[in-house]
Amino acid sequence: MAFNKLRGKAEVPQQEENAKLSARQQLEAVYRAESRRILATLIRLLGDFELAEEAMHEAFAAATDQWEQAGVPANPRAWLVSTGRFKAIDHLRRRARFDASLTDIAERLYAEATDAEDKQNEDIEDDRLRLIFTCCHPSLSTEAQVALTLREICDLTTEEIARAFLASPSTVAQRIVRAKSKIRDARIPYEVPSESELPERLESVLHVIYLVFNEGYSASTGDSLTRSDLSAEAIRLGRLLVELLKSKGEASEAMGLLALMLLSDSRRAARTDMKGDLILLDAQDRSLWNKAQIEEGVQWVTKALSAQSIGTYSLQAAISAIHAEAPSAEATDWSEIIGLYTLLLRINPSPVVALNRAVAVAMRDGPQRGLEIIDGIFAEGELHSYHLAHSAKADMHRRLGQFEQARDAYQQALALAKQEPERRFLERRLEELAVSLKDV
């Protein structure tokens, strides 16, 4: 009996410790799942990036102590938003002793904070969408849009962004600071564009997400062909955008972009060998392709193509879907791909699209026809500084047995290529050609 009493007393501190551990674990889970949403709401309520970030961190610090003592609130996100808001107001009031202009701001925020919270609860789900459009505002440079999006929406550190884009942390930090200052000084509205503006503004958002994905899928420079963490962030952004745009009726191109990223990323494991060297599409082991991603990507592109208007990302996704579902390069429906590229050229008359169509034509009609189209692109003064254009031209010559012309084109491609796996691939091609030229 005495032992049971002692054991009961010993269990009380242990139970309290378990409760504290549980509160900490829940707080960490809330941070992982909700911190970007909380930040987005605080930016809307406070109208200032820096103030909102500081307020959010103070709110989580306060929760560390209070939740362990009083328990986790029924609505943790609302608690953190409210706490962060009042922490910011207190901060402004303290600073008002040195800057009287902050008094009016603090009192206005306090008056708004004491109003009924119903509207806040209605608006809170749209806050991330507002933040995406603010970070990708066309008045900001593309570099600033990318950096700000990765920092504020994806929660990547400045150092992580710098590593991903091979820039110095100080350069990235300056871009972010300048972007925030421009948003504040130009009073860029923190809002989802109007119905008439939404399609045009959405294009810049999709472009930023695609830039992030492309840097992860095929890094512009450096030792590695891919950066899977960056591709994953872009796909996560794409999912978020589709989710947030569904109610706006403008999700079709976001679905197309999400499909394109999923289908492209599904081939990641087969795109390099154990040494990190590049493997072209026709030589890839298709058993390594991610079947779940392909299935999901096909589902999204099917939905995107059912829309009244079809955009460039949806068409590119449709092309990727044909590649993804083909059992081999030879069994690929190249005529369908050529037709899609022809349609894409009408919407987006880009020399890169024309180049890709030429490669598809060469797969169906032979390298001579593909080479004629590529020579026509070069004759128009396009793509002379694009290494993949020279590489494609070299491949056509190689397949035709025109080894000297192939060597010259590969050398031009090598001179322009900056990514090490691509450079090694081109060097191997040149070595193979040297052997072929000796045998001629």
Side-chain angles (χ1 to χ4, degrees):
M1 187 67 173
F3 172 75
N4 287 338
K5 287 182 178 179
L6 288 172
R7 185 178 65 182
K9 289 180 179 179
E11 284 177 348
V12 172
Q14 184 61 48
Q15 290 170 355
E16 291 176 352
E17 184 61 32
N18 289 341
K20 289 181 180 180
L21 181 61
S22 177
R24 286 197 295 271
Q25 289 175 329
Q26 289 184 65
L27 182 60
E28 290 171 2
V30 169
Y31 185 87
R32 288 193 299 271
E34 302 280 7
S35 61
R36 294 299 97 186
R37 188 176 295 168
I38 291 165
L39 177 62
T41 298
L42 286 170
I43 292 172
R44 170 172 61 84
L45 296 174
L46 301 173
D48 185 284
F49 277 87
E50 303 295 345
L51 185 61
E53 288 173 2
E54 185 176 348
M56 183 187 74
H57 290 303
E58 288 191 8
F60 274 98
T64 303
D65 297 326
Q66 293 188 37
W67 290 11
E68 288 179 355
Q69 301 299 324
V72 178
N75 189 335
R77 191 197 335 169
W79 188 98
L80 287 159
V81 168
S82 178
T83 300
R85 192 178 197 178
F86 283 105
K87 292 283 185 184
I89 293 168
D90 289 342
H91 178 70
L92 287 172
R93 283 173 170 168
R94 289 194 299 271
R95 286 172 53 194
R97 289 180 294 176
F98 307 99
D99 185 350
S101 65
L102 296 176
T103 302
D104 291 340
I105 298 174
E107 295 313 312
R108 175 179 57 79
L109 291 174
Y110 179 77
E112 292 172 355
T114 55
D115 289 342
E117 295 185 354
D118 292 343
K119 188 174 187 305
Q120 176 179 316
N121 292 333
E122 292 172 4
D123 287 346
I124 200 168
E125 288 303 326
D126 281 339
D127 284 333
R128 289 178 298 171
L129 187 57
R130 292 188 182 97
L131 183 55
I132 289 172
F133 277 100
T134 302
C135 290
C136 299
H137 196 277
S139 66
L140 304 175
S141 69
T142 300
E143 294 82 3
Q145 290 177 12
V146 170
L148 196 59
T149 298
L150 290 174
R151 178 70 195 93
E152 303 304 330
I153 298 168
C154 298
D155 198 24
L156 268 64
T157 65
T158 302
E159 290 74 18
E160 287 170 333
I161 300 168
R163 282 198 301 271
F165 288 90
L166 301 181
S168 68
S170 61
T171 298
V172 172
Q174 286 175 359
R175 286 176 187 165
I176 294 171
V177 169
R178 287 171 184 163
K180 290 177 179 178
S181 298
K182 185 160 189 176
I183 289 170
R184 182 190 64 239
D185 298 341
R187 297 186 178 181
I188 292 173
Y190 182 75
E191 63 186 14
V192 177
S194 65
E195 187 175 341
S196 61
E197 297 176 323
L198 185 56
E200 181 181 355
R201 286 284 307 281
L202 179 58
E203 181 61 32
S204 66
V205 174
L206 295 173
H207 180 60
V208 165
I209 295 174
Y210 194 41
L211 281 176
V212 174
F213 176 79
N214 267 342
E215 190 62 30
Y217 178 76
S218 183
S220 55
T221 57
D223 296 332
S224 177
L225 179 69
T226 63
R227 297 190 179 102
S228 58
D229 55 341
L230 211 54
S231 297
E233 285 297 337
I235 290 172
R236 187 167 73 87
L237 271 173
R239 291 188 195 282
L240 174 62
L241 194 61
V242 169
E243 174 192 336
L244 294 174
L245 285 173
K246 279 181 180 178
S247 63
K248 308 289 181 185
E250 290 286 345
S252 62
E253 263 300 79
M255 290 178 186
L257 176 57
L258 177 57
L260 176 60
M261 294 189 295
L262 286 166
L263 291 164
S264 300
D265 191 62
S266 70
R267 302 193 293 268
R268 176 162 36 91
R271 292 181 63 226
T272 56
D273 61 17
M274 296 295 290
K275 297 178 183 177
D277 287 336
L278 176 65
I279 302 175
L280 296 184
L281 178 64
D282 59 353
Q284 288 175 13
D285 180 356
R286 299 187 179 216
S287 68
L288 297 177
W289 290 3
N290 188 317
K291 301 299 189 294
Q293 277 187 274
I294 291 172
E295 183 177 345
E296 184 186 359
V298 169
Q299 289 174 353
W300 282 119
V301 74
T302 301
K303 291 180 180 178
L305 293 175
S306 67
Q308 288 184 340
S309 61
I310 300 173
T312 58
Y313 294 112
S314 299
L315 287 172
Q316 290 177 74
I319 293 168
S320 288
I322 295 172
H323 283 299
E325 294 187 310
S328 66
E330 295 74 21
T332 302
D333 190 342
W334 292 107
S335 292
E336 184 70 15
I337 287 177
I338 292 167
L340 288 167
Y341 271 128
T342 301
L343 182 56
L344 186 58
L345 266 175
R346 291 177 192 162
I347 299 174
N348 178 29
S350 156
V352 173
V353 175
L355 174 67
N356 291 336
R357 183 182 178 278
V359 172
V361 169
M363 293 299 294
R364 187 190 68 178
D365 301 337
Q368 182 60 48
R369 180 62 187 130
L371 184 59
E372 290 170 1
I373 298 173
I374 292 176
D375 284 340
I377 297 171
F378 277 116
E380 293 177 3
E382 304 281 2
L383 300 181
H384 283 284
S385 61
Y386 188 47
H387 71 284
L388 293 180
H390 293 285
S391 181
K393 181 177 180 178
D395 187 59
M396 306 294 174
H397 283 301
R398 182 184 64 83
R399 289 163 59 188
L400 290 167
Q402 300 168 350
F403 299 135
E404 289 186 2
Q405 295 96 318
R407 179 195 59 198
D408 293 343
Y410 275 130
Q411 286 175 340
Q412 286 180 293
L414 181 61
L416 293 167
K418 296 180 180 179
Q419 188 189 78
E420 284 306 314
E422 288 185 335
R423 291 182 60 82
R424 291 197 299 270
F425 172 82
L426 294 169
E427 287 166 352
R428 287 199 306 274
R429 282 286 199 238
L430 284 167
E431 290 170 3
E432 293 166 2
L433 283 174
V435 173
S436 299
L437 283 166
K438 284 181 182 179
D439 295 338
V440 173

